[in-house]
Structures are given as structure tokens and as C-alpha cells.
Amino acid sequence: MSKIQSPKGVSEYFPPRSANFEYVRNAMIAAAKNAGYWMMELPIFEETELFVRGVGESTDVVSKEMYTFEDRGGRSITLRPEGTAGVMRSVIEHNLDKGQLPVKVWYSGPFFRAERPQAGRYRQFYQVGIEAIGADDPEIDAEVIAVAHRAFTSIGLSNFRLDLTSLGDSESRSRHRKDLVAYIETLDLDEATKERAALNPLRLFDDKREEIRAKMSNAPLLVDYLNADAAAHFEQVQRLLRSFDIPFTLNPRMVRGLDYYTGTTFEFVHEGLGAQSGIGGGGRYDGLMADLGGANLSGIGFGLGVDRVLLAAEAEGLLSEEKLAHDPLDIFLIAMIPAAKDCVALLTNSLRNLGVRADMAYGDRALKGAMKSADKSGARFSVVIGEDEIASGVVKVKNMESGSTESITLGDLNAWKGALLH
Ligand code: HAM
């Protein structure tokens, strides 16, 4: 029979590399929790309208990359391409915006974009994200950026930079938009590009084509249109980042790929990843909640790409199949004779009840094969139980590194604890 393969362009993690994926993801989650963010678990599919309104029709994500289908009730459903719109929908729906502010939440899970697959770009990929809703202070902008920075450095990453800009408040943006539209009207553009520009002229800054880049090289930049309030906010964010020792580069042409951004906007770029170098990004989205029918609260957050952060950690030699971020077993147990199997199963179970990480050999393999499994398991200790051990009730626990042994009475759980849990 022919084998079934995974769908094109999805990322999958299986042992042993899955241990490194889990480690990277958990390190990023830990950074979020460390700063007072609460977990949120959201649906993987939402009404299509949420992303059309939230993320914006001019974006590639909405116009070309969504996995959209009709469900059995005839509703248009989309697999979530990003997390912010769903968080906003849930916060509004469950009135979290009427409680204590800011609402600070984190999430982690799969996201879906029908992009052209390549190294570091997948159709199902993973993010850890945070959102802070209802605080206008520049201090929260600096906090969000610092959480991402701490997430990366806690893994040991160093070969990355932070690009920063401000996309302004609504007043600055509308003044800029007028001039930008007038500038774009002077350009000779194809129809599709004109249509995009009509939806959101900022999108042309994000165009990858060389001829469009050249045409946009003299376009007016938003940072030159910031009014006093927006400029002061952005200045304060920069001052705070300097005081946090977080280096950044100002990149006034960065607009990011989603339409909801306003004000402080940022992207972390890893130098060792080639084309798909964005390991995380985010920013303010001060009009999004109102656009989705909620209160007029501001927000800021980020999404970090777990797949790419793992690739970055591997590129920096921090993790590999040999350097696994895997908690090893404490002990591996082997029955030398069939009659010892019950005893081994019972002891394994009792040790697990004590919190010892224990596993045992299955199948009726010879001792040599079972010892190989013990070695491969990475367990710190092993024990072999045969006729003598059952008769005497005393077993020899072997330290796999030094080879030394210690005798322990089978039923003496305190002795087991003392030997294995430290
Ligand atoms: P984003 O920049 O579209 O932002 O995605 C965030 C990160 O997800 C990227 O920097 C990248 O590491 C990863 N990523 C995106 N697409 C792919 C892909 N096809 N394959 C692998 N990794 C990918 C957002 O999604 C916003 N929701 C972030 C945010 C939260 N802004 C404010 N709050």
C-alpha cells in the first residue's frame, strides 16, 4: 500500500528534535509568564470576517494566504493565520476589556498561511505571542519588546537585531497618507499594485519587487509626520530600551505585513537564517479593538516564530540532535527474567508516583539489548532485576556515568528517593 505523506509545507517535530522545539517554546512562554501575562487558549478556526476586518484586505495574509472553507452549516471559516485578531475577538466577547486594565495574555499554538514553502517558511507554523490591551503608556511598549528580547536571550541567542519604527497615531497617519497617496499617483504602476495601494498605500513599502522598491525610494516616510504626542511617545520607548540595554536599529521603511499596526512597531531579525530571517515581530494596534466592534482601547503585542527560533538556535550551535534540551530519565529498569517483569513494572510505577522519571525495558530482549535501551534513554541510573534480586529483595542501582553501584532494598521508598531525587 502506498504511504501517506504530510501535507505540503507543514512543519513537524518528532523525537529527538521535538525536545528542542518544546524547550524553545517553553522558554518563550516562561518569558511571558515572568512579566505577568495570563494564558489564553483560543480556537484554531474563526469566522473569516474576523481576519478580513482585523488583519486587512490589502495584506498578502488575507488576500492570498488564508485557508478558508465553508463548514457544514454554510458559514465561512478560516484557519487562524495569526493570533491578535482572535485575542481581540475573545476579549470583546467575554468583556475582559471592562475589567482590570491592561489585559495581559499569552498564547501558543499553530497558525496557518498558504505561503510558498521554503526553509523557515511553512504553511502550518508555531507562534508564542503576547498581547497587552488597554494601556497607552510607552512603558508597556518597552515591556513587550523586552519580553521578546528576554525570551531570545534566555535561549542563548545573540546573533539577532531589533528593527524599530513608529507608524504614528491616527492624526499623523492621515496627514502622511494624503502625501503618500499623492506620491503614489505619480508612479507608473500595474493595476493590481494600484488596487493594493488604494486599500492601504503603506503596503507598497513592503513590496519585495526591485522596481517597486526603487519607485518607493523617495516616498514620504511616516516617521517624518509624527505629531508632538506620537513623537514624544516614540522617544520615550527608545529611552526606555536604551536604559534596558536593548540595542535597536531605526528602520523607518518597515511597515510589517498586517494592516492593524499603529505607533511603535518592531521586528527581530536573525542574521543566520537567510531569507526567512524574521524570528518575531509586533507592535501597537490602537484602532483594532474599535474596528472589531469593541471599546476604543489601545493594544500592543508580538508573535514569535517558534520554528524559526529553533532554526536560529541551531544555527548558533546552541541546540542540535546531539545537544538536546531534553530532561533525561532518572532511571531505566530492566527485568532479566520473565518472572521479574511484574516486580519491575510495580517498581517503575512506584518510582513514578514519587516523582522519579522512570522507564522500563519492554519485550523479551536479551540483557545486552535492554542495556542498549538504557544507554539510549540517557537515564542517569539503571537497575537490572533477576532471580537473585527478587530472592534477596535488594537491588544494585548503577550510576550510568561513573559505573559505580549502590544497593537499595526494593520496598524502601525513602532510600530510592534519596538515591534518585536530588
Ligand atoms: P507576523 O510578523 O506575521 O506577526 O508573524 C510573527 C512571526 O511568526 C514572524 O516573525 C515569524 O517568525 C513567524 N512566522 C510568520 N509566518 C510564518 C511562516 N509562514 N512560517 C514560519 N514562521 C512564520 C503576527 O502574526 C502578529 N499577530 C504579531 C503581533 C501580535 N502583533 C501584535 N501582536
Coordinates of all heavy atoms in Angstrom, one line a residue, residues 61 81-84 107 113 115 120-123 125-127 130-131 256 258 260-261 267-268 278-283 285 300-308, ligand 1:
V61 N -1.5 38.2 3.6 CA -2.1 37.2 4.5 C -3.6 37.0 4.2 O -4.0 35.8 4.1 CB -1.9 37.6 6.0 CG1 -2.7 36.7 7.0 CG2 -0.4 37.5 6.4
P81 N -4.6 32.7 10.7 CA -3.3 33.0 10.2 C -2.4 33.7 11.2 O -1.2 33.8 11.0 CB -3.6 33.9 9.0 CG -4.9 34.6 9.3 CD -5.6 33.7 10.2
E82 N -3.0 34.2 12.2 CA -2.3 35.0 13.3 C -3.1 35.0 14.5 O -4.3 34.6 14.5 CB -1.9 36.4 12.7 CG -3.0 37.3 12.4 CD -3.4 38.2 13.6 OE1 -2.5 38.9 14.1 OE2 -4.6 38.2 14.0
G83 N -2.6 35.5 15.6 CA -3.3 35.4 16.9 C -4.0 36.7 17.4 O -4.9 36.6 18.2
T84 N -3.6 37.8 17.0 CA -4.0 39.1 17.6 C -5.5 39.3 17.4 O -6.2 39.7 18.3 CB -3.3 40.3 17.0 OG1 -1.9 40.0 17.0 CG2 -3.5 41.5 17.8
Y107 N -0.3 33.4 24.4 CA -0.9 32.2 23.7 C 0.2 31.5 22.9 O 1.3 32.1 22.6 CB -2.0 32.6 22.7 CG -1.6 33.7 21.8 CD1 -1.0 33.5 20.6 CD2 -1.8 35.1 22.1 CE1 -0.6 34.5 19.7 CE2 -1.5 36.1 21.3 CZ -0.9 35.8 20.1 OH -0.5 36.9 19.3
R113 N -0.8 29.7 7.1 CA -0.8 30.6 5.9 C -0.3 29.8 4.7 O 0.7 29.1 4.7 CB 0.3 31.7 6.2 CG -0.1 32.6 7.3 CD 0.9 33.8 7.6 NE 0.6 34.4 8.9 CZ 1.3 35.4 9.4 NH1 2.4 35.8 8.7 NH2 1.0 35.9 10.6
E115 N 1.5 30.0 2.2 CA 2.6 30.6 1.6 C 3.4 29.6 0.7 O 3.2 28.4 0.9 CB 3.6 31.2 2.6 CG 2.9 32.3 3.5 CD 4.0 33.1 4.3 OE1 4.6 33.9 3.6 OE2 4.1 32.9 5.5
G120 N 12.3 27.6 6.8 CA 11.8 28.6 7.7 C 10.5 29.2 7.4 O 10.0 30.1 8.1
R121 N 9.8 28.8 6.3 CA 8.5 29.3 5.9 C 7.6 28.1 5.7 O 7.8 27.4 4.7 CB 8.6 30.2 4.7 CG 7.2 30.9 4.5 CD 7.3 32.1 3.5 NE 7.6 31.6 2.2 CZ 8.0 32.5 1.2 NH1 8.1 33.7 1.4 NH2 8.2 32.0 0.0
Y122 N 6.6 28.0 6.5 CA 5.7 26.8 6.5 C 4.3 27.2 6.4 O 3.9 28.4 6.6 CB 5.9 26.0 7.8 CG 7.4 25.7 8.1 CD1 8.0 26.3 9.1 CD2 8.1 24.9 7.2 CE1 9.4 26.1 9.4 CE2 9.5 24.7 7.4 CZ 10.1 25.3 8.5 OH 11.4 25.0 8.8
R123 N 3.4 26.3 6.0 CA 2.0 26.6 5.9 C 1.3 26.3 7.2 O 0.3 26.9 7.4 CB 1.4 25.7 4.8 CG 2.0 26.1 3.4 CD 1.4 25.3 2.3 NE 1.8 26.0 1.1 CZ 1.5 25.5 -0.2 NH1 0.9 24.4 -0.3 NH2 1.9 26.2 -1.2
F125 N 2.7 26.7 11.0 CA 3.8 27.1 11.8 C 3.4 27.4 13.2 O 2.2 27.4 13.5 CB 4.6 28.3 11.2 CG 3.8 29.5 11.0 CD1 3.8 30.5 11.9 CD2 2.9 29.7 10.0 CE1 3.0 31.7 11.8 CE2 2.1 30.8 9.8 CZ 2.2 31.8 10.8
Y126 N 4.4 27.7 14.1 CA 4.0 27.9 15.5 C 4.5 29.2 16.0 O 5.5 29.7 15.7 CB 4.6 26.7 16.3 CG 4.1 25.4 15.9 CD1 4.6 24.7 14.8 CD2 2.9 24.9 16.6 CE1 4.0 23.5 14.4 CE2 2.4 23.7 16.2 CZ 2.9 23.0 15.1 OH 2.3 21.9 14.7
Q127 N 3.6 29.8 16.8 CA 4.0 31.1 17.5 C 3.8 31.0 19.0 O 2.9 30.3 19.4 CB 3.1 32.2 16.9 CG 3.5 32.8 15.6 CD 2.6 34.1 15.3 OE1 1.9 34.6 16.1 NE2 2.7 34.5 14.1
I130 N 2.2 37.5 22.8 CA 1.6 38.1 23.9 C 0.8 39.3 23.4 O 1.1 39.9 22.3 CB 2.6 38.6 25.0 CG1 3.5 39.7 24.5 CG2 3.4 37.4 25.5 CD1 4.4 40.3 25.6
E131 N -0.2 39.8 24.2 CA -1.0 41.0 23.9 C -1.2 41.7 25.2 O -1.6 41.1 26.2 CB -2.3 40.7 23.2 CG -2.3 39.7 22.0 CD -1.5 40.2 20.8 OE1 -1.2 41.4 20.6 OE2 -1.3 39.3 19.9
R256 N 5.6 46.2 8.3 CA 5.1 44.9 8.7 C 3.9 44.5 7.8 O 3.3 45.3 7.1 CB 4.7 44.9 10.2 CG 5.9 45.4 11.0 CD 6.2 44.5 12.2 NE 5.3 43.6 12.7 CZ 5.4 42.3 12.6 NH1 6.4 41.8 11.9 NH2 4.5 41.5 13.1
L258 N 0.8 43.3 8.3 CA -0.6 43.2 8.7 C -1.1 44.7 8.9 O -0.3 45.6 9.3 CB -0.7 42.5 10.1 CG 0.0 41.1 10.1 CD1 0.2 40.6 11.5 CD2 -0.7 40.1 9.3
Y260 N -3.2 46.3 10.9 CA -3.6 46.9 12.1 C -2.6 47.8 12.8 O -2.9 48.4 13.8 CB -4.3 45.9 13.0 CG -3.5 44.6 13.3 CD1 -2.3 44.7 14.0 CD2 -4.1 43.4 13.0 CE1 -1.6 43.5 14.3 CE2 -3.4 42.2 13.3 CZ -2.2 42.3 13.9 OH -1.5 41.1 14.2
Y261 N -1.4 47.8 12.4 CA -0.3 48.4 13.2 C -0.4 49.9 13.2 O -0.7 50.6 12.2 CB 1.1 48.0 12.7 CG 1.4 46.6 13.1 CD1 1.5 45.6 12.1 CD2 1.5 46.2 14.4 CE1 1.8 44.3 12.5 CE2 1.7 44.9 14.8 CZ 1.9 43.9 13.8 OH 2.1 42.6 14.2
E267 N 10.5 44.5 14.8 CA 10.8 43.2 14.2 C 12.1 42.7 14.7 O 13.1 43.5 14.7 CB 10.8 43.3 12.7 CG 10.2 42.0 12.0 CD 9.7 42.4 10.6 OE1 10.6 42.4 9.7 OE2 8.5 42.6 10.4
F268 N 12.2 41.4 15.1 CA 13.5 40.8 15.5 C 14.0 40.0 14.3 O 13.2 39.2 13.8 CB 13.4 39.9 16.7 CG 13.2 40.7 18.0 CD1 12.0 41.1 18.4 CD2 14.3 41.1 18.7 CE1 11.8 41.8 19.6 CE2 14.2 41.8 19.9 CZ 12.9 42.1 20.4
G278 N 13.0 36.7 9.9 CA 12.2 37.4 11.0 C 11.8 36.3 12.0 O 11.0 35.4 11.8
I279 N 12.4 36.5 13.2 CA 12.1 35.5 14.3 C 11.0 35.9 15.2 O 10.5 35.2 16.0 CB 13.4 35.1 15.1 CG1 14.1 36.4 15.6 CG2 14.3 34.3 14.3 CD1 15.2 36.1 16.6
G280 N 10.5 37.2 15.0 CA 9.4 37.6 15.8 C 9.1 39.1 15.5 O 10.0 39.8 15.0
G281 N 7.9 39.5 15.6 CA 7.6 40.9 15.4 C 6.3 41.3 16.0 O 5.5 40.4 16.5
G282 N 6.1 42.6 16.1 CA 4.8 43.0 16.7 C 4.7 44.5 16.7 O 5.5 45.2 16.0
G283 N 3.8 45.0 17.5 CA 3.6 46.5 17.6 C 2.3 46.9 18.2 O 1.5 46.0 18.6
Y285 N -1.5 48.4 18.0 CA -2.7 48.3 17.1 C -3.8 49.1 17.8 O -4.8 48.5 18.2 CB -3.0 46.9 16.8 CG -3.0 45.9 18.0 CD1 -4.0 45.8 18.9 CD2 -1.8 45.2 18.3 CE1 -4.0 45.0 20.0 CE2 -1.8 44.4 19.4 CZ -2.9 44.3 20.2 OH -2.8 43.4 21.3
I300 N -1.0 46.4 22.3 CA 0.4 46.1 21.7 C 0.7 44.7 22.0 O 0.3 44.1 23.1 CB 1.5 47.1 22.3 CG1 2.8 46.8 21.7 CG2 1.5 47.1 23.8 CD1 3.9 47.9 21.8
G301 N 1.5 44.1 21.1 CA 1.8 42.7 21.4 C 2.9 42.2 20.4 O 3.4 43.0 19.6
F302 N 3.2 40.9 20.5 CA 4.1 40.4 19.5 C 3.8 38.9 19.2 O 3.0 38.3 19.9 CB 5.6 40.4 19.9 CG 5.9 39.6 21.2 CD1 5.7 38.2 21.3 CD2 6.5 40.2 22.3 CE1 6.0 37.5 22.4 CE2 6.9 39.5 23.4 CZ 6.6 38.1 23.5
G303 N 4.3 38.4 18.1 CA 4.2 37.0 17.8 C 5.7 36.5 17.5 O 6.3 37.2 16.7
L304 N 6.1 35.5 18.2 CA 7.5 35.0 17.9 C 7.3 33.7 17.2 O 6.5 32.8 17.6 CB 8.2 34.8 19.3 CG 8.2 36.0 20.2 CD1 9.1 35.7 21.5 CD2 8.7 37.3 19.6
G305 N 8.1 33.4 16.2 CA 8.0 32.2 15.4 C 8.9 31.1 16.0 O 10.1 31.1 16.0
V306 N 8.2 30.1 16.6 CA 8.9 29.1 17.3 C 9.8 28.3 16.3 O 10.9 28.0 16.6 CB 7.9 28.1 18.0 CG1 8.7 27.1 18.9 CG2 6.9 28.9 18.9
D307 N 9.3 28.0 15.1 CA 10.0 27.2 14.2 C 11.3 27.9 13.8 O 12.4 27.3 13.8 CB 9.3 27.0 12.8 CG 7.8 26.6 13.1 OD1 7.0 27.5 13.4 OD2 7.5 25.4 13.0
R308 N 11.2 29.2 13.6 CA 12.4 30.0 13.2 C 13.4 30.2 14.4 O 14.6 30.2 14.2 CB 12.0 31.3 12.6 CG 11.4 31.2 11.3 CD 11.1 32.5 10.6 NE 10.2 32.3 9.5 CZ 9.7 33.3 8.9 NH1 9.9 34.6 9.2 NH2 8.8 33.1 7.9
Ligands
HAM1 P1 3.9 38.2 11.9 O1 5.1 39.1 11.7 O2 3.0 38.0 10.8 O3 3.0 38.8 13.1 O4 4.3 36.8 12.5 C1 5.1 36.7 13.7 C2 6.2 35.7 13.5 O5 5.7 34.4 13.1 C3 7.2 36.0 12.4 O6 8.2 36.9 12.8 C4 7.8 34.7 12.0 O7 8.8 34.4 13.0 C5 6.6 33.8 12.3 N1 6.0 33.4 11.0 C6 5.1 34.1 10.3 N2 4.8 33.4 9.2 C7 5.5 32.2 9.2 C8 5.6 31.1 8.3 N3 4.8 31.0 7.2 N4 6.4 30.1 8.6 C9 7.2 30.2 9.8 N5 7.1 31.2 10.6 C10 6.3 32.2 10.4 C11 1.9 38.4 13.6 O8 1.5 37.3 13.4 C12 1.2 39.3 14.6 N6 0.0 38.7 15.1 C13 2.2 39.6 15.8 C14 1.6 40.5 16.7 C15 1.0 40.2 17.9 N7 1.5 41.8 16.6 C16 0.9 42.4 17.6 N8 0.5 41.4 18.4

